[in-house]
Amino acid sequence: MSERDTEVGGVPVAALKRHAELSEQVEDARWRYYVLDQPTVSDAQFDEWFRELLALEEAHPPLQTPDSPTQKVGAPISGDFAKVSHLNRMESLDNAFNEADMAAWMARVERLAERDPGPYLCELKIDGLAIALVYRDGKLERGATRGDGRVGDDVTANVRTIKGVPHRLKGEGVPSLVEVRGEVYIPVEGFQRLNEQLVEQGRPPFANPRNSAAGTLRQKDARVTAQRPLRMLVHGIGLWEGSAVPRAQSEVYERLREFGLPVSDLFQVVPGLTGVDEFIEHYRVHRHDPAYEIDGVVVKVDDFRTQRELGSTSRAPRWAIAYKYPPEEVNTKLLDIQVGVGRTGRVTPYAVMEPIVVAGSTVERATLHNAATVIKKGVLVGDTVVLRKAGDVIPEIVGAVTALRDGSEREFVMPTHCPECGTELAYEKEGDADLRCPNARSCPAQIRERLYFAAGRRALDIDGLGYVAATALTQPVPPQEPVLRTEADLFDLTIEQLMPIRSVVRDQDTGLPKLDPETGEQKVVSLFANLDGGPSQAARTLVEELDRAKAAPLAQVLVALSIRHVGPPTARDLAEAMRSIDAIMDASEEELASVKGIGARVAATIREWFEVDWHREIVERWRAAGVRMDDGPAPEKTEPQILEGLTFVVTGTLEAYTRDTASEALTSRGGKVAGSVSKKTSFLVAGENAGSKYDKAVGLGVPILDEQGFAVLLDEGPEAAARVAVTEEP
């Protein structure tokens, strides 16, 4: 092939082929998203395709033709409703994905405008369905979807059922003709309830709230629409006739609110780029505070005169842009649904998926809670599913992309027997949602989970006893027998017992066992022995850590025993009041319930736990091994109560304190320690890797103390600490 044959019209053949492929994918995705209400790709995937199209057209201008997807708004309209023309064209928005994109857009606006284009209006980008309402002489005349921007579907009958949308405008100065634009959505809670109802009726659930809003608005029977929790927020106008037109977007919002239209309070007018960035960052932290889903922030030039001067491209206004947050929802394949057994015997289904990056981390597992949840979500093994991971929240499957089913999918069947010990599963009491393995004493999975929990930072904080070690101790590589058949044996472990223990080597990404390429057998490794056969440092460390843990305070021992409902706060209250394990074992329910923070329900659980013979055996074996079982007489309060009335949150890793000892230092001085940051938080004590609690504190303006500031707080009090605290602007 000659060099000339590699180009057509000056465009490389490879670029032509890729452009055609992407155009077909984008058009198909738009049809399924806007018309069928059955999206088959995630927003992130669509944005990636669209950005690649734009880049191709920028590099090769002949590709940018009028029928290119980049020059169109929305998608072809459906054939199920009457068609209506919009009074003015409804446009789409260009996107920004980072601070550089925002700065470039604002620089372009400043260059094109004849005057200072500020201020700017910032508002939330609702993940809903665009709609245009026409009011003539104050009366609702028509509601239409965006369609292709010029022609949309007439959904007036359904719009009239939306709560909060007035059939007649009120107040003074109502225009004789006005077209308002907005977004129709379903609140997150309403979406969850709707999907549960659909599955109960044997119908496929919606993939996401936007999909559910679109499907609901396009119901042919308005009575169905009326039964669903649709809402609307107005965010602009297309036409205004018959009265004085406001001079700015923000003034329009005030007028529309006076007319009785639903307008969000969550917008802000700012002078320039700094204010825009602050608004974007605030809602990056508080993304899930609104009752509805958002996927970014829309930034608009507030002044209408400047908007008119800036004009529009073929598809989008130059005076507005959408800043899109990183995706928290992606599509992936559900390979299997398996079950795990927890330390209380609860049997939990979990999804095994093709690994995928979402919200900045690779995810391949997601909990499905119980069999009823699997049914509610309507997912089948083999489905393409919508996966959501918001910040530090555990990954969650939202639902199935039912449009991609090919008939090979299968239903999940909850096992009837424990997958680890074979015991028949049962509900603990009538009405429970969770099946449990009743073999609490001997089930190797429950023993493993209790051991791992006992060694955790919330309990005895035993370095060297992580999940791999806990598994190897209770479920070793055959033919080796378990070293621990009950947690009662924990403090009797010796280096000689640890030396033979081996563990299966697993892939870090998939969690599956690695295989030896020559033999095809699972790779195994010695956990506690060196190559020369002697004990490894890991073995010595674990034995030393177990010896150190014997001196742990009573509260930590109580947590390590895995008594239902007895977490660190309850254990501290119990230990402070009772002072010894014997006093707790001998106490009546009434005496336990009288302890601050305990109550009747937890008291009954504690009493029941100590009435079980093998539970008491654990206590006595640990006591015989030297574990401290009392805190001695109650000490007199020697610390000045300088933190009384203040609330603290501790997060991250501190060098001189564990999270528990830091909490004890605060409570001993009269402070209260909470688990989450709120407006009532007096200080956040933040070590390394503070995570989302730090971000939330910044968003709420809560003073933040590093380890040095924490020392100032304990020694000199809150006023001195306030002088060295960091208070960042959100």
Side-chain angles (χ1 to χ4, degrees):
M1 180 180 288
S2 68
E3 185 175 334
R4 185 174 54 192
D5 292 334
T6 63
E7 292 188 354
V8 176
V11 179
V13 170
L16 281 169
K17 288 182 177 179
R18 182 56 178 160
H19 188 272
E21 178 185 5
L22 286 169
S23 296
E24 183 177 350
Q25 290 172 328
V26 167
E27 294 287 21
D28 180 68
R30 278 178 166 168
W31 175 262
R32 292 177 180 276
Y33 186 91
Y34 290 108
V35 179
L36 302 181
D37 302 320
Q38 295 178 343
T40 53
V41 299
S42 65
D43 286 353
Q45 179 64 74
F46 182 87
D47 287 340
E48 185 179 326
W49 288 342
F50 200 83
R51 289 200 298 273
E52 189 178 349
L53 266 180
L54 289 171
L56 281 170
E57 293 178 2
E58 184 175 351
H60 309 290
L63 293 175
Q64 192 183 88
T65 61
D67 62 346
S68 168
T70 65
Q71 305 304 301
K72 299 177 183 179
V73 173
I77 56 177
S78 72
D80 295 333
F81 293 87
K83 305 299 172 276
V84 292
S85 297
H86 297 299
L87 301 184
N88 278 321
R89 183 167 67 105
M90 293 184 70
E91 298 172 315
S92 186
L93 288 173
D94 288 331
N95 293 324
F97 296 93
N98 51 51
E99 292 179 1
D101 290 347
M102 281 302 307
W105 171 78
M106 191 164 288
R108 188 165 58 250
V109 167
E110 291 175 348
R111 186 177 68 252
L112 295 174
E114 297 180 3
R115 65 184 67 79
D116 180 1
Y120 297 88
L121 183 143
C122 303
E123 61 190 2
L124 303 183
K125 185 176 182 296
I126 304 170
D127 196 9
L129 180 74
I131 196 85
L133 308 183
V134 175
Y135 285 88
R136 192 180 300 274
D137 297 325
K139 184 179 179 182
L140 178 61
E141 182 178 87
R142 189 179 73 206
T145 62
R146 181 171 62 180
D148 63 5
R150 298 185 183 279
V151 177
D153 292 332
D154 187 339
V155 289
T156 308
N158 289 340
V159 166
R160 292 181 184 279
T161 70
I162 299 176
K163 185 177 180 180
V165 173
H167 294 189
R168 182 176 290 278
L169 303 182
K170 63 182 181 180
E172 298 180 358
V174 172
S176 58
L177 179 64
V178 62
E179 183 189 54
V180 298
R181 274 88 182 269
E183 210 78 14
V184 171
Y185 66 92
I186 286 183
V188 175
E189 289 186 7
F191 165 71
Q192 294 168 346
R193 289 195 301 270
L194 173 59
N195 264 0
E196 291 175 7
Q197 293 168 2
L198 291 173
V199 171
E200 288 173 2
Q201 296 165 8
R203 300 164 61 188
F206 289 111
N208 52 51
R210 188 267 167 207
N211 178 220
S212 66
T216 296
L217 194 63
R218 290 198 177 98
Q219 287 289 323
K220 294 181 181 179
D221 187 346
R223 291 173 297 182
V224 176
T225 306
Q227 294 171 2
R228 295 183 180 176
L230 279 185
R231 299 292 184 269
M232 178 184 176
L233 284 176
V234 175
H235 55 56
I237 57 172
L239 189 70
W240 183 298
E241 293 181 355
S243 69
V245 182
R247 293 175 298 180
Q249 189 85 24
S250 53
E251 291 182 23
V252 162
Y253 287 175
E254 295 306 317
R255 296 296 303 281
L256 295 180
R257 184 179 285 109
E258 292 170 3
F259 297 160
L261 285 158
V263 179
S264 174
D265 292 323
L266 304 180
F267 72 88
Q268 187 175 350
V269 178
V270 299
L273 182 59
T274 300
V276 169
D277 287 344
E278 289 173 351
F279 187 90
I280 289 170
E281 287 308 308
H282 176 80
Y283 279 102
R284 192 193 302 274
V285 175
H286 297 276
R287 182 170 177 174
H288 300 283
D289 287 1
Y292 42 81
E293 293 279 1
I294 67 169
D295 58 1
V297 166
V298 176
V299 182
K300 302 173 180 177
V301 172
D302 193 39
D303 180 67
F304 279 157
R305 180 181 173 186
T306 308
Q307 287 186 12
R308 290 191 295 270
E309 291 171 355
L310 291 169
S312 301
T313 66
S314 62
R315 61 179 294 276
R318 293 188 180 92
W319 46 265
I321 194 166
Y323 184 100
K324 299 194 76 172
Y325 292 131
E328 292 186 324
E329 285 189 359
V330 294
N331 291 2
T332 189
K333 197 77 170 178
L334 176 58
L335 303 176
D336 197 7
I337 297 177
Q338 299 177 2
V339 297
V341 183
R343 65 190 176 97
T344 63
R346 177 183 172 189
V347 179
T348 304
Y350 63 90
V352 180
M353 301 162 294
E354 289 183 352
I356 192 165
V357 176
V358 55
S361 59
T362 301
V363 174
E364 57 182 328
R365 300 283 191 274
T367 181
L368 286 165
H369 301 293
N370 52 50
T373 299
V374 179
I375 295 171
K376 285 180 181 179
K377 291 185 180 293
V379 294
L380 305 177
V381 175
D383 268 338
T384 295
V385 294
V386 179
L387 176 71
R388 175 186 295 153
K389 182 179 185 292
D392 295 333
V393 177
I394 296 171
E396 172 195 12
I397 286 180
V398 179
V401 184
T402 56
L404 291 180
R405 285 178 177 167
D406 59 12
S408 64
E409 300 79 16
R410 59 182 174 84
E411 290 187 5
F412 165 71
V413 178
M414 192 72 179
T416 58
H417 290 73
C418 176
E420 303 270 2
C421 70
T423 303
E424 186 174 2
L425 303 178
Y427 294 106
E428 191 171 54
K429 59 181 182 295
E430 188 176 349
D432 276 0
D434 300 319
L435 280 168
R436 295 182 186 273
C437 170
N439 182 22
R441 182 175 190 174
S442 306
C443 177
Q446 293 183 61
I447 299 170
R448 175 193 66 221
E449 297 296 325
R450 292 197 299 264
L451 274 176
Y452 176 63
F453 180 80
R457 292 187 62 182
R458 299 176 67 206
L460 296 174
D461 196 16
I462 301 172
D463 191 21
L465 185 51
Y467 201 78
V468 172
T471 302
L473 287 166
T474 56
Q475 297 164 290
V477 177
Q480 184 182 353
E481 292 294 315
V483 174
L484 297 184
R485 295 183 182 277
T486 166
E487 57 264 52
D489 300 332
L490 177 61
F491 289 96
D492 295 325
L493 274 176
T494 65
I495 286 181
E496 289 70 29
Q497 287 177 302
L498 294 174
M499 293 274 288
I501 295 176
R502 298 182 303 159
S503 175
V504 175
V505 180
R506 296 184 179 273
D507 186 276
Q508 289 186 348
D509 292 329
T510 66
L512 298 174
K514 286 188 175 182
L515 303 180
D516 187 298
E518 295 182 1
T519 65
E521 296 179 352
Q522 292 182 356
K523 285 187 176 182
V524 296
V525 63
S526 176
L527 285 185
F528 299 106
N530 291 324
L531 293 176
D532 62 5
S536 67
Q537 183 58 46
R540 298 183 193 280
T541 297
L542 178 53
V543 172
E544 289 170 2
E545 283 287 298
L546 286 169
D547 191 56
R548 179 196 58 78
K550 294 176 183 178
L554 177 59
Q556 291 178 239
V557 175
L558 290 171
V559 174
L561 290 172
S562 282
I563 305 169
R564 187 89 62 88
H565 306 310
V566 180
T570 301
R572 282 196 294 268
D573 291 339
L574 199 58
E576 185 176 338
M578 296 289 187
R579 310 304 304 170
S580 75
I581 200 85
D582 292 321
I584 296 170
M585 284 195 293
D586 294 339
S588 66
E589 271 189 46
E590 292 74 17
E591 290 172 321
L592 291 169
S594 67
V595 174
K596 178 193 73 173
I598 301 297
R601 178 170 173 245
V602 177
T605 303
I606 296 169
R607 181 72 265 132
E608 288 169 5
W609 193 91
F610 281 106
E611 287 175 352
V612 176
D613 290 343
W614 65 271
H615 288 167
R616 284 180 174 259
E617 180 186 345
I618 294 171
V619 173
E620 296 309 324
R621 289 278 304 282
W622 283 13
R623 191 202 305 266
V627 175
R628 172 179 158 190
M629 290 292 172
D630 67 74
D631 284 346
E636 295 183 9
K637 290 190 175 181
T638 58
E639 296 288 354
Q641 302 297 287
I642 56 175
L643 304 182
E644 193 166 359
L646 301 181
T647 300
F648 302 86
V649 174
V650 181
T651 187
T653 303
L654 300 170
E655 290 185 10
Y657 297 87
T658 66
R659 202 167 299 181
D660 285 337
T661 57
S663 297
E664 287 171 9
L666 292 166
T667 56
S668 68
R669 291 163 173 81
K672 177 183 177 183
V673 179
S676 59
V677 177
S678 71
K679 292 180 180 178
K680 296 180 179 179
T681 304
S682 305
F683 290 92
L684 174 74
V685 179
E688 293 294 325
N689 303 314
S692 61
K693 290 179 182 178
Y694 187 100
D695 295 335
K696 189 167 186 181
V698 170
L700 293 175
V702 172
I704 300 169
L705 296 172
D706 59 13
E707 190 148 2
Q708 290 180 332
F710 184 47
V712 172
L713 174 75
L714 298 179
D715 293 340
E716 303 177 39
E719 291 184 4
R723 292 194 290 270
V724 299
V726 175
T727 305
E728 297 187 14
E729 291 295 326

